Amino acid sequence: MDTAQELGLEAGPVMNDFTEDVTENLSTGMYSILFASPEVLLSTKGREALQVGQVYDRICCIFVDESHCVVKWVHSSGHTNAFRKFYGMLAELRSVIKPSTPLIAMAATATTQVRAAIVKSLGMHNVALKHASGTVDNIKHVVVETRLKDPSEIFSWLCEDLKQKHGKMERVIIFCQSRKDCSELYSTFSSLLPTACWRYFNMFHTNTETDVQEEIAADFGNPDGTIRVLFTTIAFGLGIDVRGVQTIICLDVQLILMTMYSCEAGLVVMGNRVCQLY
C-alpha cells in the first residue's frame, strides 16, 4: 500500500468485506490497485462487486502473490482445517471477470512441480514463465546435525542468551513441523527461563487466537519489538512484515523451502547483514 502510494498510485485495501464505498471507488477509478485476500474476493459480496459494470470493465489484470499457497495450504489433514482453502478456489474468479484478463502468479518458493500445480489450479493457459535464482548473497545456509533429543539441551544456548540479553537479543524464528512441536518448545522455554523472560518468546500457528496472531504480527513489524524468539509453523510469514530477524531455524529440512520467503522478508531492513538459515 505505502509503496504504491509513493509511486503516485491510488491503492485501496479490502480487509474483511467489500463495502459500498470500495465498490464505488473502484467504479469511479479512484483506486488503480486493489489489495484483497482470496477470502474477500470469493465471498458473495466480492463476486457481486467484481461484476458491477464499471468495475468489470476496469479490471485489467489479477496478481496472485504467494501463489504457492494454491498448492501448499488448501488441504485439510486429520482434524485440522485447511489454512487458506480459498487460495485453491481462485480459478473461480475467471467466471466473474473478462475471460481475456491476464493473471500473474508470483512465488519465491515454488519448485518445478509446484509451478505446474499453480498453473493447473489457477486455470492458466498460454503461460509465460519468468524464473530467477533464489540465491541471495546475505543469506547463509547452515546444516547442523545433533544427537541430542531433549529440547532443553538443544536450545540451552538460546535460553541463556535470552536470559542475559532480554529484549536486546537478536531475533530468532524457529519453524516447527507441527503445533505440538511449537507447544513443546514453548513449555521448554517456560521451564528454563524466569517469568521475567516469558514476554520475550511466543508461538504462532493456525489455532492461535486471532487477536494473539495480530499482536505477534504487529510486534514483528517493529525491529525493536518485544518478542525475540518465535516458535511457529509455516502459518507465520504470509503477508506479515518481518523486521529485524537475523536467524531462522528449521527443525525439519523439508520446511526450508517453505520458510525462505520469511527470511527474505527480514532482509528488507537488515541491509548487508547476514541472515543465517539453519
Side-chain angles (χ1 to χ4, degrees), residues 56 59 93-103 123 125:
Y56 181 86
I59 298 175
L93 287 176
R94 295 287 190 187
S95 65
V96 296
I97 62 175
K98 295 189 293 292
S100 60
T101 304
L103 187 149
H125 303 284

Side-chain angles (χ1 to χ4, degrees), residues 237 240-245 260-270:
I240 297 176
D241 186 11
V242 180
R243 295 175 179 266
V245 176
M260 275 297 296
Y261 68 90
S262 295
C263 185
E264 292 168 354
L267 296 178
V268 172
V269 292
M270 284 198 293

Side-chain angles (χ1 to χ4, degrees), residues 152-224:
S152 62
E153 296 182 38
I154 296 173
F155 291 107
S156 59
W157 62 275
L158 188 56
C159 288
E160 188 61 33
D161 200 24
L162 187 57
K163 186 186 299 183
Q164 293 181 9
K165 299 178 181 177
H166 291 240
K168 300 296 182 182
M169 192 192 86
E170 292 282 359
R171 264 186 167 154
V172 177
I173 298 177
I174 301 177
F175 279 93
C176 306
Q177 185 69 44
S178 66
R179 300 192 308 273
K180 179 183 177 182
D181 293 339
C182 290
S183 297
E184 289 180 351
L185 281 177
Y186 187 91
S187 297
T188 297
F189 274 61
S190 297
S191 65
L192 294 176
L193 292 167
T195 54
C197 292
W198 288 6
R199 62 195 294 255
Y200 298 116
F201 60 88
N202 212 328
M203 61 178 171
F204 188 111
H205 49 68
T206 53
N207 283 12
T208 302
E209 293 81 356
T210 301
D211 58 337
V212 176
Q213 289 188 357
E214 292 174 351
E215 290 174 6
I216 293 174
D219 190 85
F220 269 81
N222 176 7
D224 298 317

